Amino acid sequence: MLKKILVATDASEYSRRALKTALEFAHEFNAQVELLFVMPGPVVYDSSVYAYRVSSEQIEQQGEFVLKATLEGIDISDVTLIKKKLQGKPASIILKEVENEHIDLVVMGSHGYGAIAGSLLGSVSQHVLHRAKCPVLIVK
């Protein structure tokens, strides 16, 4: 029985497909959906001339943008949806969330934007697929 479904998102089309698939399961099993965006920690870019730190406010804004973009045009009216933005290494944070929230199913896109656009079965999806202690559905 599915009670909690986790959808990891980066606002890619693959993530949107994963959300749509998760919503079908949520309707079928009357399950709750958690839409999760994992923000990398504050990043410092450094060159011989410039150094630039991405602020936590910028990361928060990016998280809001990603969640909104993922949900755009998708009907979630009859599903309990929890939106979360967490910070850290995406695969590790997703796996911790599975444990901490007693997730029954993870639904992820097969590829994401990642460090090199689209390069992630994707590394995050692969990592979660092989290490999660619950079923993982990878959506193409």
Side-chain angles (χ1 to χ4, degrees):
M1 175 104 131
L2 296 176
K3 292 182 181 177
K4 290 187 172 185
I5 302 169
L6 174 75
V7 179
T9 186
D10 63 1
S12 66
E13 187 54 37
Y14 292 100
S15 293
R16 288 176 46 81
R17 290 181 202 153
L19 176 59
K20 290 175 186 175
T21 300
L23 290 172
E24 290 175 22
F25 280 105
H27 286 117
E28 182 74 25
F29 294 96
N30 196 27
Q32 168 184 300
V33 175
E34 178 181 322
L35 183 61
L36 174 66
F37 172 65
V38 180
M39 301 173 280
V43 178
V44 176
Y45 297 99
D46 194 3
S47 71
S48 58
V49 180
Y50 299 103
Y52 178 73
R53 179 182 166 97
V54 178
S55 71
S56 57
E57 292 81 19
Q58 289 170 305
I59 293 172
E60 179 71 18
Q61 289 173 345
Q62 178 67 21
E64 281 301 316
F65 172 80
V66 167
L67 292 174
K68 184 178 178 183
T70 302
L71 290 167
E72 188 174 330
I74 297 175
D75 181 14
I76 58 166
S77 59
D78 55 349
V79 171
T80 300
L81 182 97
I82 296 168
K83 296 183 280 186
K84 282 192 181 179
K85 295 169 286 191
L86 298 176
Q87 198 168 355
K89 187 175 176 186
S92 298
I93 296 299
I94 292 166
L95 291 169
K96 283 181 188 173
E97 192 70 2
V98 166
E99 292 281 323
N100 294 342
E101 295 298 325
H102 309 289
I103 299 297
D104 299 304
L105 174 67
V106 176
V107 183
M108 300 179 69
S110 59
H111 295 74
Y113 287 127
I116 301 171
S119 69
L120 294 176
L121 228 35
S123 60
V124 173
S125 299
Q126 282 278 4
H127 192 86
V128 172
L129 177 64
H130 293 291
R131 290 175 179 80
K133 294 181 179 175
C134 69
V136 176
L137 176 62
I138 305 294
V139 177
K140 287 186 172 187

